[in-house]
Amino acid sequence: QVQLVESGGGLVRPGESLRLSCTASGLSFSDSYMSWIRQAPGKGLEWISYISSSSRTIYYAESVRGRFTISRDNAKNSLYLEMTSLRAEDTATYFCATLANDSFDHWGQGGLVTVSS
Amino acid sequence: QSVLTQSPSVSAAPGQKVTISCSGRGSNIGDNSISWYQQLPGSAPKLLIYDNNKRPSGIPDRFSGSKSGTSATLGISGLQTGDEAVYYCGAWDTGLNVHWVFGGGTKVTVL
């Protein structure tokens, strides 16, 4: 079955950087469209970025544009999120998800990022 | 404040039916298909409905979806205690800047 596993989360100080990874199995990753979605503690879902299967098309939410970079390595079945200039409001659980039929059909378990001094 | 508007909570007794509404605008719900997600406490969200009214394999037909204009509705019939969760709607917004939008979530409580 499809499995998405996030890694790389942790505690960082404001202004620092962090790189999240999402490793996929059980699917044809190179044909999959991917997104990152986050959820602040006790809050709702916030979509933050999308990347097409070939990396040709990328979208970002306004809240992270210019600070976060999404990328993928199809040879490694991996999706990445490079996060820079982190702020307290970036504290959240970050989910990677596959996008099919204009919906997020598979989700990882999430990785927690805490930004605090 | 979420782009898609959902009522914060709804409750009903086991066996009853609840409906959850999701309101948007032309650039999101009006022009694109909507999907619905169930998030049980402490878990990742799970896809319930895609393309407005289609259920993925394994989702019982107690869950239904519909869309009209710039609004959508999720129905849950034969409510069970295991349905107690937060439900989110979502859709692409293909206005000036393409991005995905979620509703704020509706907490379903089984009385």
Side-chain angles (χ1 to χ4, degrees):
Chain A
Q1 76 277 19
V2 175
Q3 197 167 15
L4 302 173
V5 179
E6 298 92 344
S7 60
L11 172 64
V12 295
R13 285 177 162 58
E16 292 186 342
S17 300
L18 198 63
R19 187 200 204 200
L20 296 180
S21 299
C22 168
T23 304
S25 60
L27 77 167
S28 177
F29 183 76
S30 60
D31 293 325
S32 299
Y33 305 117
M34 303 294 298
S35 265
W36 287 99
I37 296 154
R38 69 184 179 185
Q39 186 169 37
K43 302 296 184 183
L45 301 174
E46 180 189 14
W47 170 86
I48 55 174
S49 189
Y50 160 89
I51 186 168
S52 64
S53 56
S54 65
S55 303
R56 184 171 298 181
T57 301
I58 288 174
Y59 302 121
Y60 294 102
E62 195 61 45
S63 58
V64 304
R65 187 175 294 126
R67 298 188 301 122
F68 289 12
T69 302
I70 191 172
S71 63
R72 64 191 295 162
D73 185 337
N74 288 342
K76 295 183 178 179
N77 286 354
S78 293
L79 173 74
Y80 306 104
L81 186 68
E82 189 76 42
M83 303 182 290
T84 64
S85 302
L86 282 161
R87 307 165 180 165
E89 54 265 36
D90 295 318
T91 294
T93 296
Y94 285 72
F95 299 99
C96 62
T98 57
L99 184 75
N101 298 309
D102 287 336
S103 62
F104 297 110
D105 56 343
H106 298 286
W107 297 65
Q109 85 288 351
L112 180 62
V113 172
T114 303
V115 184
S116 175
S117 54
Chain B
Q1 188 172 344
S2 304
V3 174
L4 302 183
T5 302
Q6 296 181 239
S7 51
S9 63
V10 63
S11 59
Q16 298 296 304
K17 178 176 182 177
V18 296
T19 58
I20 299 169
S21 62
C22 176
S23 176
R25 57 190 182 207
S27 59
N28 41 63
I29 298 178
D31 289 344
N32 300 285
S33 61
I34 194 148
S35 49
W36 291 91
Y37 304 85
Q38 176 194 62
Q39 188 174 32
L40 297 169
S43 296
K46 174 184 172 182
L47 178 64
L48 283 182
I49 297 289
Y50 69 97
D51 198 14
N52 304 322
N53 55 19
K54 296 180 175 60
R55 285 175 286 104
S57 172
I59 302 299
D61 58 8
R62 300 187 299 105
F63 295 92
S64 62
S66 64
K67 184 182 107 167
S68 177
T70 58
S71 294
T73 302
L74 174 71
I76 311 173
S77 60
L79 203 61
Q80 301 176 359
T81 54
D83 297 333
E84 195 159 282
V86 179
Y87 294 81
Y88 295 92
C89 57
W92 280 112
D93 190 308
T94 47
L96 202 57
N97 294 307
V98 175
H99 57 285
W100 181 276
V101 290
F102 284 107
T106 298
K107 167 70 173 164
V108 170
T109 300
V110 182
L111 301 172

